[in-house]
Amino acid sequence: MYVDPITKRDKKLSLKDIDTAAPKKVNKEEALKQQEKLEEELFMLQDLMFGAKKNSVLVVLQGRDTAGKDGTIKRVVGALNPRGVHVASFGVPTEEEREHDFLWRIHRHTPRLGEFSIFNRSHYEDVLVVRVHQLLPEKIWKERYDHINTFEETLAEHGCLILKFFLHISKDEQKDRLLEREADPSKAWKLNPNDWKERQYWGEYTEANEVAISRCSSEHAPWWVVPADAKWYRNLVVTEALVKTLRPYRESWVKALEREGKAAKAALEEYKKKEKAK
Ligand code: ADP
């Protein structure tokens, strides 16, 4: 696997020790070919999952401003049948959202069986931006790691396959991307003066992300720290993680579909018999 998932809690994670660049040994051309193959497989897996209605997929995308959350979504959604995909973005909570618990707005966007939900930011903002800017008292956000773990466990018990990606970019790469947005009119819509301000909290965000990833990683809801300076490598890592997570379920989905096919056939026979007897 290009990047291994983090599946255990309480592992002290140091983001500065993880490369943001694509590894030298991975060749871009080969990677693009591999990407295509993985996308074909992902499409087929999605089809089976959609029919079998035994599982769903939740993709959580986190990362600093310009880390490539939008680009990743575009790529992943592009590889899927849009019929079974729902994308949700989470910004500053509205008044109504603030008047509920922090998971209220999240829960209603979780996927139905058979479907994908892709989160552009997520419930993790409630232990990231909230922690960095002390938007709420420490006592409140500190308890949220446990709430998040319980929440994700509940989803997993309902058949939800959870994949969480931290798109890891370097400070220099972020600067280049912010400057590019300023220079390119077609990217101007992405410009947010706040991004330069948030950049001043680089270290605080690093720590907040490290704690969130360390405290909220498990077998059923792992994190991947994705080297994201090169977009082609980022896409490859995310797509591979999806395929490798879904692949082991393929047989069970095929069986469920076969059973369903047999049941439908039996019902039809029964119906025909009754019609004849009339
Ligand atoms: P993006 O930067 O994802 O393209 P926006 O420019 O709309 O989209 O930014 C969303 C903003 O909302 C981010 O600054 C993010 O930190 C903030 N946000 C998201 N969730 C929360 C939250 N629970 N509390 C406070 N701010 C939040």
Side-chain angles (χ1 to χ4, degrees):
M1 216 162 167
Y2 292 106
V3 173
D4 287 326
I6 300 170
T7 55
K8 286 197 178 70
R9 276 173 214 165
D10 295 330
K11 177 172 169 273
K12 182 68 190 107
L13 176 86
S14 170
L15 285 175
K16 72 169 173 16
D17 296 335
I18 302 178
D19 237 332
T20 55
K24 294 230 165 33
K25 64 177 196 299
V26 183
N27 170 285
K28 184 175 173 185
E29 266 170 35
E30 287 297 314
L32 293 177
K33 278 189 210 147
Q34 179 70 2
Q35 175 78 26
E36 263 181 46
K37 272 198 219 151
L38 286 167
E39 287 182 352
E40 271 171 35
E41 187 175 351
L42 182 61
F43 187 86
M44 285 189 306
L45 288 165
Q46 180 200 12
D47 229 20
L48 292 175
M49 187 182 81
F50 187 84
K53 300 257 180 295
K54 283 167 71 83
N55 294 97
S56 59
V57 174
L58 172 61
V59 176
V60 168
L61 289 167
Q62 286 291 157
R64 304 174 197 270
D65 296 314
T66 77
K69 299 184 286 296
D70 279 314
T72 308
I73 291 173
K74 221 161 115 187
R75 186 77 206 203
V76 172
V77 172
L80 295 168
N81 184 334
R83 173 190 60 184
V85 186
H86 169 65
V87 177
S89 300
F90 298 97
V92 178
T94 62
E95 194 181 340
E96 188 188 20
E97 288 169 348
R98 274 200 312 275
E99 288 175 3
H100 289 86
D101 69 87
F102 78 105
L103 291 169
W104 178 76
R105 67 175 184 158
I106 307 291
H107 210 157
R108 45 214 297 244
H109 289 287
T110 54
R112 303 168 69 147
L113 290 176
E115 300 193 355
F116 275 64
S117 280
I118 303 182
F119 284 2
N120 182 351
R121 302 186 189 270
S122 65
H123 41 302
Y124 283 93
E125 289 293 321
D126 294 281
V127 289
L128 294 171
V129 64
V130 172
R131 173 184 171 130
V132 168
H133 292 293
Q134 294 294 326
L135 301 179
L136 290 169
E138 180 166 345
K139 187 185 171 318
I140 294 186
W141 57 256
K142 267 208 156 150
E143 283 171 3
R144 289 183 170 172
Y145 301 101
D146 289 340
H147 293 318
I148 288 175
N149 286 331
T150 309
F151 171 62
E152 292 178 353
E153 226 170 277
T154 310
L155 299 182
E157 275 174 20
H158 191 62
C160 186
L161 311 177
I162 305 169
L163 299 95
K164 301 177 294 194
F165 297 102
F166 175 71
L167 306 182
H168 188 33
I169 53 166
S170 69
K171 205 169 177 185
D172 283 346
E173 180 66 25
Q174 187 191 53
K175 189 174 171 194
D176 289 349
R177 291 186 187 182
L178 285 172
L179 291 172
E180 200 184 323
R181 282 182 184 182
E182 282 181 355
D184 182 350
S186 73
K187 290 189 176 157
W189 65 275
K190 288 189 181 179
L191 258 183
N192 183 345
N194 205 36
D195 291 351
W196 286 107
K197 275 195 216 142
E198 285 300 274
R199 185 174 155 83
Q200 292 166 12
Y201 295 89
W202 188 273
E204 287 84 347
Y205 273 110
T206 300
E207 196 191 347
N209 276 297
E210 286 170 347
V211 175
I213 295 169
S214 307
R215 292 204 51 185
C216 303
S217 281
S218 59
E219 288 285 346
H220 61 262
W223 276 101
W224 279 259
V225 177
V226 184
D229 282 353
K231 294 170 187 173
W232 59 269
Y233 186 67
R234 171 200 78 198
N235 292 339
L236 182 64
V237 170
V238 171
T239 312
E240 189 199 39
L242 275 162
V243 169
K244 291 218 165 155
T245 302
L246 271 64
R247 201 187 270 157
Y249 293 86
R250 189 178 51 196
E251 285 314 304
S252 74
W253 296 336
V254 169
K255 283 204 181 102
L257 286 167
E258 279 171 358
R259 273 199 302 275
E260 214 174 275
K262 279 184 196 146
K265 223 169 150 191
L268 183 64
E269 291 304 323
E270 187 68 15
Y271 173 79
K272 279 188 190 159
K273 247 198 261 169
K274 278 189 186 150
E275 283 291 290
K276 242 188 183 169
K278 262 187 198 167

